[in-house]
Amino acid sequence: YAFAGCSSLQNIELPEYMYEIEERAFESSGLVKFVFPDSLRWLSSATHINCSNLKEVKLPKRRTDLSLSLTKTFMGCSSLESITIPPSFSKIETAFDSCVNLKRIYIEEGGGRELSIDYGLYVCALDSIHIGRNIYYYDYSKRPMIENQSAIKYCFIGGNINTNGAPLFSDCNVGKVVISNSVDTIQAAAFFNTSPDTLICQNIHPTSMAVDALVNSFVLVPSGSGTLYREHVAWKKNLIVDPQDTISFVKVKYPGT
């Protein structure tokens, strides 16, 4: 509770030898920007809860020798708009609940490390999300990881996502989804009541997917793999577009040109 309730505190510079931040250290403070020291080795829960002016956060740099958690860290930070999560974090638990203006989440590649997410990304206003590594998601009530988002323009999925039977997306409007060739399986409930405008698959061979997990979507596949996708039982109910498919255009010469 070192700076809890310090409403006039807008910025603070922590020393590089700081290894720990205790629970609720900056709760309800006036912080606008916060840079976590790269020396950090322990982060307690709810450190920045209800910092309603907090707009910019920089988490410790890319490290794979740490296993930090974001537990209720930014709950109620209603001005926070974007967050980048480096490999030094292995768990997220209700870290962004009630972050009503959180638009962009970027989960960096983790060098093979899995990120555990307990409970979903609720009450956000997402327009883009980048998932750069494998995700293990758990919600005891099977609530979706991402739900009721009306303006997601872009989503990159760069790893396998185990949602334990819960939807990945539910009742969302999603523009473009890119599924990398690192993804082995798309689970049955991945797109519940959600049909991306465009889905781009980077895998030449059709990614394993439950039948009817995705239907009536525009799917762009690698050149030359259209037939494989069109004949695949799980993909054939979508509009498969292969760049190798050609359409002949007739060039018309108008008088005077």
Side-chain angles (χ1 to χ4, degrees):
Y1 295 86
F3 299 97
C6 294
S7 57
S8 297
L9 179 66
Q10 295 186 356
N11 195 10
I12 188 170
E13 186 174 340
L14 300 179
E16 274 303 317
Y17 55 78
M18 179 170 282
Y19 299 111
E20 182 177 353
I21 299 179
E22 288 292 344
E23 184 176 2
R24 298 180 182 268
F26 298 96
E27 178 182 4
S28 300
S29 70
L31 284 170
V32 175
K33 176 181 178 180
F34 191 85
V35 178
F36 287 83
D38 291 336
S39 56
L40 191 68
R41 293 192 172 275
W42 179 259
L43 183 64
S44 296
S45 67
T47 56
H48 293 71
I49 192 170
N50 294 328
C51 290
S52 58
N53 296 326
L54 186 63
K55 294 182 178 181
E56 185 178 351
V57 169
K58 185 178 179 183
L59 294 171
K61 291 179 181 177
R62 295 177 60 97
R63 294 180 61 173
T64 56
D65 60 330
L66 295 179
S67 186
L68 298 171
S69 297
L70 292 173
T71 304
K72 301 181 181 178
T73 311
F74 302 111
M75 284 181 64
C77 293
S78 55
S79 296
L80 187 65
E81 293 187 351
S82 65
I83 189 79
T84 296
I85 301 171
S88 46
F89 288 86
S90 60
K91 186 175 183 180
I92 298 174
E93 183 176 356
T94 57
F96 307 109
D97 196 14
S98 299
C99 291
V100 294
N101 286 303
L102 183 60
K103 295 178 174 63
R104 292 171 292 279
I105 298 177
Y106 192 100
I107 301 172
E108 292 183 340
E109 290 70 13
R113 300 185 71 191
E114 182 178 75
L115 177 65
S116 174
I117 299 178
D118 289 0
Y119 311 109
L121 305 172
Y122 307 145
V123 202
C124 298
L126 292 176
D127 67 23
S128 69
I129 180 167
H130 178 105
I131 302 173
R133 52 176 157 151
N134 293 344
I135 299 291
Y136 180 88
Y137 171 70
Y138 177 77
D139 186 305
Y140 74 93
S141 64
K142 302 296 184 183
R143 190 174 175 180
M145 179 171 152
I146 303 169
E147 66 175 346
N148 297 322
Q149 298 292 318
S150 60
I152 299 178
K153 298 176 182 177
Y154 177 78
C155 174
F156 175 83
I157 301 176
N160 292 307
I161 301 177
N162 181 359
T163 59
N164 289 287
L168 171 58
F169 292 100
S170 177
D171 300 288
C172 294
N173 292 325
V174 183
K176 180 189 295 183
V177 176
V178 177
I179 299 178
S180 82
N181 54 15
S182 299
V183 177
D184 299 321
T185 303
I186 299 174
Q187 294 191 337
F191 299 97
F192 184 77
N193 284 343
T194 300
S195 293
D197 293 338
T198 302
L199 189 139
I200 300 174
C201 291
Q202 297 181 341
N203 203 337
I204 295 175
H205 298 283
T207 303
S208 177
M209 181 173 69
V211 176
D212 294 336
L214 185 72
V215 297
N216 300 324
S217 289
F218 182 92
V219 180
L220 181 63
V221 300
S223 182
S225 61
T227 300
L228 293 173
Y229 276 85
R230 294 185 189 106
E231 294 178 350
H232 194 283
V233 64
W235 289 95
K236 64 183 182 181
K237 293 184 180 180
N238 297 280
L239 175 60
I240 307 298
V241 178
D242 182 342
Q244 190 169 294
D245 297 338
T246 58
I247 301 176
S248 297
F249 293 92
V250 177
K251 184 176 180 180
V252 179
K253 185 175 179 63
Y254 291 92
T257 62

